Amino acid sequence: MSVELDVFVGNTTIMDKEVYQLWLNGYTVNDAVKVRIEGGVMEECEASAEVLLSDTMDQYRTFQMCERLLHHPAKLANQLLFQIPPDRQAMLIERYALACQFNSLDFVIIQFQTFICISLFRYYAFDDLFVREVLGKKLSKGTKKDLDDVSIKTGITLKSCRRQFDNFKRVFKVVEELKGPLVENIRQHFLLPDQLARDYAAIVFFANHRFETGKKKLQYLTFQDFAFCAGQLINNWTVGAVDNMMEDMDVDLDKEFLQDLKDLKILITDKDLLDQHKNLVCTALRGKTNVFNEMEANFKNLSRGLVNIAAKLINAKDVRDFFIDLVEKFIEPCRSDKLTSIDVNLYLTHYTNSAHILDTFKHHAVWTRYMGVIKSCILRMYHD
Amino acid sequence: MPGKLKAKIVAGRHLPVMDRASDLTDAFVEVKFGNTTFKTDVYPKSLNPQWNSEWFKFEVDDEDLQDEPLQITVLDHDTYSANDAIGKVYIDIDPLLCSEAATVISGWLPIYDTIHGIRGEINVLVKVDLFNDLNRFRQSSCGVKFFCTTSIPRCYRAVMVHGFVEELVVNEDPEYQWIDRIRTPRASNEARQRLIFLMSGELQRKIGLKVLEMGGNAVVGYLQCFDLEGESGLVVRAIGTACTLEKISTFPATATHPNNSSPSKDMKEPGFGEEAPGVPLSSGPPTPLRAQTFSSFSPSKSYSRQSSSSDTELSLTPKTGMGSGGSAGKEAGPLKALLRQQTQSALEQREYPFFTLTAFPPGFLLHVGGVVSARSVKLLDRIHNPALGNTRSYKLLDWNSFTADEPETRDAWWEEIRQEIKSHAKALGCHAVVGYSESTSICEEVCILSASGTAAVLSSRFMQDGPLDTEHRLSRQPLCVFSTGSERVEGDMGSSASLGFEEVVSPGCGFCHIPYDELNIPFPAQLTYCYCCRRYKVPDVLFTTIDLPTEANVTGKGCLIQARLCRTKKKAQGEGNATAISSLLPFLEYELHTQLMNKLKLRGMNALFGLRIQISVGETMLLGLASATGVYLTALPSPGGIQIAGKTPSDITYEQHISTMQKKINDTIDKNKELYEINPPEVVEEIIGSPIPEPRQRSRLFRSHSESSDEVSELDLSHGKKDAFVLEIDDTDAVEDIHALLTDSPTPAGFYSCNTEIMPGIQNWTSAIQMFTSVRVFRLNANLTNQGLNKIFSDLCENLLKSLYFKLRSMVPCCLCHLNFTVAIPEDELIQVAVTAVAMSFDKEQPLENGKQSGEKTLIKAITENDEQLQFNLELNAETSSHNPLSSPKGLSEVGSHLSARASSLEKASPLPEGRSRSLRSNRSYSGSSVAVVKMTPLSFIPGAKIIKYLGIINMFFIRETSSLREEGGVSGFLHTFIAEVFAMVRAHVAALGGNAVVSYSMKECVFMENPNKNQAQCLINVSGDAVIFVRESELESTSVQTQSATTHTSNGGEGT
């Protein structure tokens, strides 16, 4: 004796936020039921476990049906299969409008799609813990196969891991081919709010350049640290950063710029220039910090580190090591000298500015463009 | 007479990828009507093609227009191989054939494939030009309006109710044709879908013809059903009630005296002033305006006046009175004579006095006798279909000979049943059957035909001299339902009084009074004097299939009551099987009845409304499910408790057992009484001793033999109320019964449920409604006893309800209205239960009032629309009396200008300064936006909103099949998707008609078959409803607030008198 078939379909689609979250987190129906029972929904509504199971299965089915649409969010604007509860719309419109500063979409579309868009955000939301594991990895089948390890390591269900991974991959595939600003593309194609779109841009960017993020030395960095750095790189070092032509690609670094970076080597290869630079920096720093001696002693070392990173960036392989290099060549020495982040800021500011005063140094534009990003990345990464 | 159908294909979107190589599609469209096909150009390499085709024009007969759907097929062009079909859209163009419905179909419609489901959408424009407008109604049934709604549609008034119409058409089921062996499942499904579309169209046309013959212009309560008889064919049958409807034209009605104030007051009072209903209520100016009043009042409006006296609203007019432009005063004179004539002619006509309506204009329903039902078991033998015999292979059938032969049989079957119903009704002293419906259950070659209804006496004062038991009582006379209120106001009172017509019965209890002779009661019943008026006899319980009359006096709230029964049956073939079933049926019915009665008593209630008994037959069992809404009618005696008696009180434990059970039962009754707020006024008991009726002016009753009930004093009134219902539990059956009684779990707090339109005791609905369909299939173990089966079946239904309550918990406080259960036995050992209902939330705030008043409020609430209309018309008239309403062409524009006139005169920034026409337009544009919300409800109204236009009937049939069941999420996933798709398609078609809601929606068929071993499943769904445009009352705020407060005020005032 068993229930062979059990469905509930409303004219307006009923979606339980709580169950939705459980589904997103990859809970099986039975586990979700357990969580709900513990949540006390049964006592609230005089329901039995049986009822809860039926409801959960129903909700899961609804989400699965939604999933197809969620994969192509642009279609959501005029899909007919789900009707959103009209009474919730008014409330949701406001939240939605706040959440994603949408101007381009017709008001009406927003009105009818808010509910689903909210679901969409959730669907595309990810765990920082998880993304940290796959950040910079190739979004390939191989990586996907390793997700069970990630799942064990992070305690996130495999199902949820897979969904998140597939989301990354889907977004990557779509924007890879697109021209124009990366974040904007993601926002338009996946109807995601600004912050989430930026995060996805970072993920795509990292995956594209395969930045190494998994090394032990980098473990202390959070996804948000990397996302910030990615934002810096996207905004300053890509082709799209300099001129906003339609042809621009936001995903790739500006090859010309990378080529020019090689010219910075003069700062460390030319002995005079190096000494001159050191003197200028030291003069500016003297008396302003109590770690002056360490800074002075380490100047050449640090400068070499930063310029070498710049010079190497033309090689794709070295691009991957960008972050590990920053840590090894700059952050770690500074840290062992017990510099505070204020010290680092001070140091980098003067280091950058002093170079402009050097007589024989001609690459001011490239230097500014390089050091701007380096400085903000290092400052962001300079924590425990 | 021909017409021109025009179609334009605009664009497509979200098309599926048909070319794997390019991930794109080269789509084009075929537009087919009848035998003519047009094609668009191929729009290469796009999933969102823009065809923007020319107008394809089809010149066709209107007969074809009615029968055929417009068939749009989207295909993928393939240079080298055959073009692949993406999917189809069938468009029923019937709504375009009626001038009062939709004028254009325009919008995005889902492209549907029976294997893949919805595959993108297509934007189309469809119009119809009918030539020769004047003659239209003469030659075909184009223009006859169809409504699924089982009451007079909200923005119409009934000029006449002509009576029963029925028709059936038969065809061979394509699924069983020889060709099905060689064609693809898709082709077979499409053939079936198309055939059913054609048959429905034909059926509707034929019914339309009958309606025209009767002189009507509409079918209300249209109920169409399919019988999938398998090998022996496919029957599509329909019943309905032919009416002459008139759109409520919203002319200014009458100049109301400023002091005499709002018309609602005028109309309120006559009902209460029983002695003198015709008191000069209106001192409005006389003559020329009277005629106008007439047509401007809606019949439904007076639903809200629960106190209206029955007699004045109904009177008979000759057929020529259709236009009813004359004032009542004028008509009343010749009326009597005319009636006589009609009675004569009626004698010669033979017709079933059946009405598919479940709600009536006030006063139409005089007395209710009880439920009448008839069943018969038939063998679907091939002998009945000679054409279907061996000749079926290898050559196309001669449909003509086939159809000529076949319907006779089915017709004869139904005729038999209807005759039986008629005679049952007669036995109850009733001349009519209301709330009538028919259904079938088929298993292999056995078919159970069922019909049921409520025997009733309808207002037909023209029959006053005739003997009551005349067979021809109501037969074919058109009953004229005058528009309400106005006549009363204007002095129709006087005239009817002079004719001696009026029978003043308090409308709140009148329908409960027995129509049969108390000395000759057809069944054992205890009669008492009516607890309301103390004048007439009422039964102790009342079962009906209709909705609770709006004017009924009810104490407390109602609730859903179900009796569920499962009986095993031996497997048998042919005649033996049929005999076995026939012999089981009476027991099944009896037990269902007993269960219902027990559960009713357990809830402390005394009447059932909306009773629907469904009996389903399977190979090895019979299922019976009776659903109804229990209420406590104030007019009926309080039900006695349930007493358990053991026949053999041998030992003490047994006695104890009994007494604990008795206690449990008593506790439950008390708890239920509290839950449903059943506390009948105690006053009643005091009066019992002195049931002296007030002297009545009117001595003549329209039914001769009910005069006896005037002799009140002779009866012992008290005897009926004491006695308890005794349950003897010396046998297992009774134990089982009691068990079933006590296992029904109560509804969770904040929930109410009913299967009728209105829940007594609940008003102030919010606008939050949620229509839903839930389906469950349960697999049984073999070898279950009757008792085990019963328990399983009962649990299945209970659990389903529990699930619904849980799902809808966010809507609390809420009421599940129109809970419609359908049971089926799709296979051996499978039980399928499908439920469609609407959850409506309400505000609890409202202080609870006694049933009478609250009932009234509900009505007011539900029907405010007409009041509003009415009222601002009246007020308007006062302001803009210069208007000549008769010269104005049609309602809408009129209303518009009036509204605007009023709005401006009020100097308010009203939300509808440009009036109705404007709101119509805005509505259009609304639905034109990317996705409009379309509400769906099985009820005939939308709370908090006003239906301003009926766009036509929606009657859709879909088949979905899969051979990758697992991949689609198993049976549940498959059906879930399918139902969601059906909803989406209904919504899209309604939106394309320009509507924003479907009312009276029902899922009439949901046949699900699976074969998990083959990974296959198939499902057929048939849905229907009325597409409408509604406007939120809040959009009419400035007007409605005022009118409503006025209404409430006056009704309260009325209460006092």
Side-chain angles (χ1 to χ4, degrees):
Chain A
M1 266 169 294
S2 57
V3 173
E4 181 111 347
L5 179 158
D6 178 11
V7 296
F8 175 98
V9 190
N11 183 35
T12 46
T13 310
I14 298 178
M15 289 189 188
D16 187 312
K17 282 184 204 149
E18 196 194 327
V19 185
Y20 186 53
Q21 195 57 56
L22 292 171
W23 177 70
L24 290 177
N25 292 349
Y27 283 71
T28 61
V29 173
N30 287 331
D31 290 344
V33 170
K34 270 181 217 153
V35 173
R36 295 183 81 186
I37 290 176
E38 282 158 19
V41 77
M42 256 171 31
E43 290 76 38
E44 253 171 65
C45 318
E46 307 171 36
S48 64
E50 214 176 306
V51 167
L52 218 54
L53 177 69
S54 148
D55 179 59
T56 311
M57 295 221 283
D58 225 62
Q59 293 276 327
Y60 268 52
R61 261 199 310 277
T62 310
F63 301 143
Q64 272 153 24
M65 283 163 70
C66 273
E67 197 167 15
R68 262 171 269 160
L69 292 164
L70 291 168
H71 290 172
H72 306 283
K75 280 188 190 173
L76 276 174
N78 41 29
Q79 62 84 27
L80 301 176
L81 202 56
F82 301 102
Q83 188 160 265
I84 306 114
D87 52 320
R88 291 198 201 171
Q89 282 168 11
M91 179 194 72
L92 288 166
I93 292 163
E94 288 166 29
R95 272 206 235 160
Y96 179 75
L98 280 176
C100 58
Q101 298 129 32
F102 246 118
N103 304 319
S104 54
L105 276 184
D106 183 1
F107 175 78
V108 181
I109 295 178
I110 294 178
Q111 183 178 1
F112 295 126
Q113 299 308 324
T114 15
F115 186 74
I116 280 180
C117 283
I118 298 280
S119 326
L120 190 69
F121 305 159
R122 292 217 192 176
Y123 187 77
Y124 277 92
F126 48 79
D127 293 300
D128 283 2
L129 220 56
F130 170 76
V131 73
R132 195 55 195 78
E133 291 298 319
V134 295
L135 195 63
K137 283 187 184 151
K138 201 174 171 188
L139 298 174
S140 63
K141 278 194 180 137
T143 316
K144 198 175 177 181
K145 270 182 198 153
D146 299 334
L147 286 182
D148 20 5
D149 296 337
V150 177
S151 165
I152 292 164
K153 196 174 164 192
T154 56
I156 298 163
T157 56
L158 184 58
K159 240 185 183 170
S160 179
C161 289
R162 290 215 174 114
R163 172 181 58 82
Q164 298 183 31
F165 184 82
D166 288 341
N167 283 345
F168 299 159
K169 202 170 164 182
R170 193 176 316 110
V171 173
F172 182 84
K173 267 193 120 174
V174 168
V175 294
E176 199 181 26
E177 305 290 315
L178 291 170
K179 290 156 187 168
L182 184 59
V183 177
E184 199 49 42
N185 279 341
I186 292 173
R187 221 164 57 172
Q188 281 190 355
H189 275 83
F190 293 92
L191 307 176
L192 298 177
D194 202 49
Q195 188 51 50
L196 198 53
R198 281 176 200 287
D199 288 349
Y200 266 93
I203 294 162
V204 167
F205 191 74
F206 267 69
N208 192 40
H209 293 285
R210 315 263 299 281
F211 285 112
E212 176 58 65
T213 64
K215 285 271 162 60
K216 208 174 173 202
K217 281 178 180 166
L218 295 176
Q219 283 307 316
Y220 78 100
L221 292 169
T222 65
F223 168 68
Q224 285 307 327
D225 293 335
F226 283 120
F228 175 82
C229 297
Q232 290 295 315
L233 265 64
I234 291 166
N235 288 334
N236 297 293
W237 288 3
T238 56
V239 190
V242 269
D243 59 303
N244 284 317
M245 299 297 288
M246 286 301 282
E247 302 294 315
D248 293 348
M249 300 285 279
D250 244 0
V251 195
D252 295 318
L253 293 172
D254 186 350
K255 280 268 150 54
E256 240 171 87
F257 167 67
L258 298 180
Q259 195 67 46
D260 294 344
L261 281 177
K262 282 211 275 192
D263 302 337
L264 296 180
K265 268 208 131 170
I266 194 163
L267 279 174
I268 49 167
T269 48
D270 186 324
K271 192 86 171 69
D272 286 353
L273 215 53
L274 186 60
D275 287 338
Q276 220 179 328
H277 193 191
K278 183 182 171 184
N279 286 337
L280 281 170
V281 174
C282 289
T283 319
L285 284 173
R286 183 161 299 145
K288 286 181 183 158
T289 165
N290 38 15
V291 285
F292 175 73
N293 291 334
E294 287 87 344
M295 282 187 184
E296 192 182 20
N298 253 335
F299 178 83
K300 285 188 181 168
N301 209 4
L302 293 177
S303 185
R304 252 183 228 125
L306 290 181
V307 174
N308 275 330
I309 293 173
K312 281 200 303 181
L313 280 178
I314 190 70
N315 306 319
K317 205 179 154 290
D318 292 310
V319 170
R320 286 186 205 173
D321 292 331
F322 178 69
F323 292 99
I324 189 87
D325 284 347
L326 278 184
V327 171
E328 281 178 352
K329 301 279 157 55
F330 192 90
I331 293 173
E332 281 185 341
C334 287
R335 216 185 262 152
S336 62
D337 289 342
K338 306 226 161 31
L339 267 67
T340 64
S341 61
I342 299 162
D343 297 330
V344 173
N345 189 2
L346 200 66
Y347 174 81
L348 286 173
T349 313
H350 289 296
Y351 178 72
T352 312
N353 294 343
S354 304
H356 292 297
I357 314 170
L358 296 169
D359 314 331
T360 46
F361 184 66
K362 298 279 182 267
H363 311 288
H364 297 297
V366 177
W367 180 249
T368 314
R369 191 174 172 190
Y370 176 66
M371 279 313 289
V373 172
I374 292 291
K375 188 183 155 193
S376 35
C377 286
I378 287 176
L379 287 175
R380 174 83 197 204
M381 290 159 71
Y382 200 78
H383 64 80
D384 295 328
Chain B
M1 164 217 56
K4 195 188 269 174
L5 171 68
K6 300 189 292 182
K8 183 183 169 95
I9 308 298
V10 184
R13 68 183 184 196
H14 305 164
L15 295 188
V17 170
M18 297 301 280
D19 179 6
R20 287 269 153 239
S22 65
D23 267 1
L24 289 167
T25 296
D26 304 317
F28 71 101
V29 181
E30 273 182 15
V31 188
K32 188 177 175 195
F33 189 85
N35 295 320
T36 319
T37 308
F38 292 102
K39 279 182 194 173
T40 66
D41 297 332
V42 174
Y43 193 92
K45 307 217 176 303
S46 172
L47 299 182
N48 300 292
Q50 305 289 319
W51 291 290
N52 241 324
S53 78
E54 57 189 295
W55 282 98
F56 300 122
K57 298 187 178 90
F58 302 87
E59 285 175 1
V60 278
D61 266 1
D62 58 350
E63 190 178 304
D64 290 337
L65 280 173
Q66 283 191 291
D67 287 4
E68 297 255 2
L70 180 68
Q71 182 182 317
I72 293 171
T73 314
V74 186
L75 299 111
D76 177 50
H77 176 74
D78 214 326
T79 321
Y80 304 108
S81 58
N83 298 326
D84 290 327
I86 295 172
K88 283 193 156 104
V89 183
Y90 292 101
I91 300 177
D92 181 8
I93 46 175
D94 219 46
L96 298 180
L97 303 179
C98 176
S99 55
E100 280 167 47
T103 51
V104 64
I105 294 173
S106 160
W108 289 99
L109 301 172
I111 302 166
Y112 182 74
D113 178 69
T114 57
I115 307 293
H116 294 101
I118 291 179
R119 303 174 99 189
E121 289 116 38
I122 187 168
N123 195 325
V124 295
L125 266 166
V126 183
K127 286 181 181 174
V128 172
D129 288 338
L130 276 177
F131 304 144
N132 214 351
D133 255 17
L134 271 179
N135 247 342
R136 170 157 17 137
F137 293 92
R138 309 271 174 237
Q139 312 206 344
S140 80
S141 65
C142 272
V144 172
K145 297 178 281 288
F146 284 80
F147 301 91
C148 294
T149 303
T150 54
S151 55
I152 301 301
R154 298 275 158 161
C155 50
Y156 289 91
R157 67 186 191 89
V159 178
M160 286 200 224
V161 178
H162 300 275
F164 190 61
V165 278
E166 47 77 33
E167 185 63 79
L168 64 78
V169 291
V170 181
N171 210 323
E172 191 183 10
D173 192 338
E175 185 105 337
Y176 296 86
Q177 274 167 324
W178 67 270
I179 196 170
D180 206 58
R181 287 175 212 155
I182 53 165
R183 66 181 163 190
T184 62
R186 175 181 285 122
S188 153
N189 291 339
E190 279 172 3
R192 237 171 153 192
Q193 281 190 169
R194 193 182 132 73
L195 177 70
I196 287 187
F197 253 110
L198 276 169
M199 288 169 77
S200 308
E202 184 189 341
L203 193 70
Q204 226 167 300
R205 180 173 55 81
K206 284 188 172 167
I207 290 224
L209 282 169
K210 288 194 176 179
V211 172
L212 290 178
E213 230 167 76
M214 293 165 97
N217 65 2
V219 182
V220 180
Y222 185 65
L223 177 75
Q224 186 194 287
C225 294
F226 299 100
D227 298 331
L228 300 168
E229 294 186 355
E231 295 271 313
S232 58
L234 189 74
V235 179
V236 186
R237 55 190 166 78
I239 54 175
T241 305
C243 295
T244 301
L245 297 184
E246 193 174 89
K247 191 133 188 153
I248 294 169
S249 42
T250 33
F251 308 153
T254 176
T256 2
H257 211 271
N259 294 334
N260 196 11
S261 75
S262 92
S264 66
K265 189 167 182 179
D266 295 343
M267 282 178 297
K268 187 72 210 162
E269 282 172 9
F272 280 99
E274 282 191 4
E275 304 310 311
V279 274
L281 291 161
S282 159
S283 47
T287 42
L289 282 168
R290 265 188 208 172
Q292 301 145 20
T293 345
F294 230 99
S295 35
S296 62
F297 282 96
S298 73
S300 48
K301 168 206 69 224
S302 59
Y303 276 117
S304 58
R305 319 271 164 241
Q306 69 108 21
S307 55
S308 54
S309 68
S310 55
D311 53 333
T312 44
E313 290 144 25
L314 287 176
S315 58
L316 184 96
T317 26
K319 276 188 182 171
T320 52
M322 268 166 72
S324 83
S327 81
K330 255 194 271 165
E331 219 152 59
L335 191 58
K336 202 172 172 184
L338 271 164
L339 295 181
R340 291 259 167 76
Q341 283 169 16
Q342 275 187 341
T343 316
Q344 288 299 316
S345 69
L347 290 168
E348 282 133 30
Q349 284 166 325
R350 188 185 58 81
E351 172 82 314
Y352 299 105
F354 296 169
F355 299 84
T356 54
L357 302 178
T358 57
F360 308 88
F364 189 63
L365 185 69
L366 292 185
H367 305 286
V368 169
V371 170
V372 284
S373 74
R375 281 177 220 286
S376 96
V377 183
K378 297 285 181 190
L379 268 183
L380 300 172
D381 204 336
R382 276 203 210 161
I383 295 161
H384 293 298
N385 322 317
L388 273 179
N390 297 328
T391 55
R392 57 210 300 267
S393 45
Y394 308 120
K395 72 165 190 172
L396 280 173
L397 287 166
D398 177 7
W399 292 119
N400 285 332
S401 72
F402 173 61
T403 40
D405 186 28
E406 174 65 2
E408 297 289 354
T409 328
R410 299 291 179 268
D411 265 340
W413 288 359
W414 286 113
E415 198 145 314
E416 226 171 74
I417 289 210
R418 288 174 193 140
Q419 283 296 349
E420 199 179 329
I421 289 273
K422 197 170 151 184
S423 66
H424 285 331
K426 215 166 74 182
L428 283 174
C430 295
H431 58 235
V433 176
V434 293
Y436 179 73
S437 67
E438 294 175 347
S439 64
T440 57
S441 168
I442 297 169
C443 175
E444 300 293 318
E445 76 268 275
V446 176
C447 173
I448 302 183
L449 286 77
S450 316
S452 72
T454 305
V457 177
L458 299 179
S459 169
S460 49
R461 272 152 294 155
F462 51 93
M463 293 304 279
Q464 56 172 339
D465 297 327
L468 184 90
D469 48 354
T470 320
E471 210 175 350
H472 314 275
R473 272 194 86 62
L474 192 87
S475 314
R476 185 126 177 204
Q477 295 89 344
L479 295 164
C480 171
V481 183
F482 275 171
S483 57
T484 61
S486 58
E487 311 97 295
R488 242 181 295 150
V489 177
E490 296 293 333
D492 176 51
M493 295 300 153
S495 55
S496 61
S498 71
L499 283 167
F501 269 7
E502 94 274 40
E503 177 203 13
V504 186
V505 178
S506 163
C509 62
F511 72 94
C512 309
H513 303 160
I514 53 160
Y516 35 85
D517 187 346
E518 66 177 278
L519 301 171
N520 198 8
I521 305 174
F523 51 84
Q526 282 154 339
L527 301 180
T528 45
Y529 277 98
C530 173
Y531 278 60
C532 277
C533 65
R534 304 263 141 217
R535 286 189 201 102
Y536 304 99
K537 295 285 183 58
V538 292
D540 52 348
V541 281
L542 189 62
F543 284 13
T544 73
T545 58
I546 55 169
D547 274 330
L548 183 67
T550 46
E551 66 270 19
N553 292 338
V554 174
T555 303
K557 293 189 165 69
C559 77
L560 179 78
I561 292 178
Q562 282 194 324
R564 302 142 186 154
L565 208 62
C566 219
R567 283 287 171 263
T568 50
K569 164 184 96 64
K570 284 217 178 65
K571 234 180 193 162
Q573 291 289 312
E575 212 145 309
N577 196 15
T579 322
I581 293 170
S582 316
S583 57
L584 265 172
L585 275 179
F587 295 98
L588 206 64
E589 290 211 59
Y590 174 78
E591 281 181 53
L592 282 173
H593 185 269
T594 315
Q595 244 189 63
L596 277 177
M597 192 69 109
N598 287 345
K599 291 191 176 182
L600 186 68
K601 302 239 178 216
L602 196 69
R603 283 168 179 80
M605 296 175 180
N606 58 18
L608 286 180
F609 287 89
L611 176 64
R612 195 165 156 264
I613 299 178
Q614 212 198 335
I615 291 188
S616 213
V617 58
E619 294 246 317
T620 57
M621 63 181 158
L622 281 172
L623 276 184
L625 179 69
S627 311
T629 301
V631 293
Y632 185 101
L633 285 177
T634 319
L636 265 49
S638 169
I642 301 174
Q643 224 166 52
I644 302 177
K647 252 188 180 164
T648 46
S650 45
D651 61 297
I652 285 179
T653 48
Y654 185 65
E655 297 241 307
Q656 267 174 348
H657 177 63
I658 285 180
S659 69
T660 44
M661 273 214 280
Q662 179 72 57
K663 192 170 176 306
K664 256 193 198 165
I665 285 178
N666 291 345
D667 288 350
T668 319
I669 293 179
D670 288 344
K671 221 165 61 194
N672 279 329
K673 277 188 176 173
E674 202 177 309
L675 180 64
Y676 301 113
E677 291 151 27
I678 299 167
N679 29 17
E682 295 296 318
V683 208
V684 166
E685 320 236 341
E686 294 165 26
I687 304 171
I688 282 171
S690 58
I692 296 149
E694 298 158 277
R696 322 245 30 211
Q697 287 187 320
R698 171 202 47 80
S699 59
R700 189 202 297 244
L701 284 172
F702 91 105
R703 284 168 301 114
S704 54
H705 70 283
S706 63
E707 276 175 37
S708 57
S709 52
D710 271 333
E711 306 148 37
V712 178
S713 42
E714 286 174 24
L715 261 147
D716 170 21
L717 273 165
S718 57
H719 89 279
K721 77 180 235 342
K722 271 187 227 151
D723 65 333
F725 195 74
V726 180
L727 260 178
E728 289 181 347
I729 52 161
D730 56 332
D731 55 3
T732 44
D733 264 10
V735 174
E736 191 187 314
D737 281 346
I738 290 165
H739 223 81
L741 268 181
L742 295 171
T743 47
D744 268 13
S745 49
T747 54
F751 274 108
Y752 292 93
S753 57
C754 63
N755 74 337
T756 48
E757 289 244 328
I758 308 169
M759 176 70 163
I762 295 181
Q763 47 272 318
N764 49 14
W765 300 107
T766 67
S767 59
I769 64 169
Q770 167 71 294
M771 190 282 294
F772 59 85
T773 292
S774 187
V775 183
R776 272 192 193 184
V777 176
F778 201 84
R779 185 171 289 281
L780 305 166
N781 279 348
N783 305 324
L784 277 163
T785 59
N786 273 343
Q787 228 165 312
L789 269 175
N790 257 351
K791 171 118 181 51
I792 288 169
F793 182 41
S794 188
D795 286 351
L796 179 59
C797 294
E798 281 291 312
N799 288 338
L800 186 51
L801 279 171
K802 275 187 211 160
S803 272
L804 298 181
Y805 295 137
F806 182 75
K807 281 263 180 214
L808 300 161
R809 63 192 184 281
S810 65
M811 293 186 76
V812 160
C814 106
C815 178
L816 304 189
C817 294
H818 217 284
L819 266 169
N820 189 4
F821 276 70
T822 341
V823 290
I825 307 172
E827 257 174 64
D828 231 6
E829 288 162 21
L830 283 186
I831 298 182
Q832 177 190 316
V833 181
V835 187
T836 298
V838 63
M840 304 208 289
S841 45
F842 57 91
D843 287 330
K844 237 184 178 155
E845 309 295 283
Q846 179 123 341
L848 292 156
E849 288 152 286
N850 66 51
K852 187 175 173 187
Q853 209 170 349
S854 52
E856 186 179 328
K857 281 268 172 67
T858 321
L859 302 172
I860 288 170
K861 190 77 191 170
I863 322 208
T864 14
E865 48 231 56
N866 293 317
D867 292 311
E868 279 160 36
Q869 229 167 347
L870 169 77
Q871 290 200 347
F872 46 71
N873 286 331
L874 292 171
E875 285 169 38
L876 254 182
N877 200 20
E879 287 157 8
T880 60
S881 44
S882 59
H883 262 279
N884 185 350
L886 290 178
S887 69
S888 61
K890 262 206 167 167
L892 279 184
S893 56
E894 269 300 294
V895 190
S897 61
H898 288 318
L899 284 174
S900 62
R902 182 172 192 271
S904 59
S905 73
L906 285 170
E907 288 180 341
K908 265 192 187 169
S910 144
L912 73 167
E914 285 147 79
R916 182 83 21 95
S917 51
R918 150 73 197 254
S919 64
L920 256 177
R921 243 186 293 122
S922 63
N923 224 304
R924 256 338 289 227
S925 67
Y926 181 68
S927 65
S929 77
S930 72
V931 181
V933 166
V934 174
K935 295 216 172 206
M936 288 165 80
T937 173
L939 305 179
S940 64
F941 66 96
I942 292 165
K946 173 161 143 181
I947 293 169
I948 55 169
K949 195 173 183 188
Y950 281 80
L951 297 166
I953 202 167
I954 295 281
N955 188 2
M956 298 171 98
F957 177 83
F958 298 104
I959 301 178
R960 181 85 147 78
E961 188 167 342
T962 184
S963 48
S964 51
L965 187 58
R966 275 188 295 277
E967 293 76 0
E968 294 197 33
V971 283
S972 296
F974 171 71
L975 193 63
H976 194 138
T977 315
F978 185 35
I979 294 175
E981 284 176 340
V982 168
F983 285 0
M985 286 187 277
V986 169
R987 287 193 300 256
H989 280 262
V990 171
L993 285 169
N996 55 6
V998 188
V999 295
S1000 301
Y1001 167 84
S1002 72
M1003 181 184 280
K1004 279 185 282 186
E1005 207 83 56
C1006 178
V1007 185
F1008 180 77
M1009 287 158 288
E1010 55 164 333
N1011 190 341
N1013 297 332
K1014 283 189 178 171
N1015 206 15
Q1016 286 174 341
Q1018 192 193 36
C1019 187
L1020 293 79
I1021 287 184
N1022 175 221
V1023 295
S1024 67
D1026 294 326
V1028 300
I1029 301 176
F1030 73 86
V1031 180
R1032 284 247 154 268
E1033 264 160 24
S1034 55
E1035 283 172 43
L1036 301 160
E1037 212 167 332
S1038 67
T1039 47
S1040 71
V1041 165
Q1042 228 177 326
T1043 38
Q1044 233 163 3
S1045 66
T1047 314
T1048 330
H1049 171 76
T1050 46
S1051 65
N1052 285 343
E1055 204 76 29
T1057 44

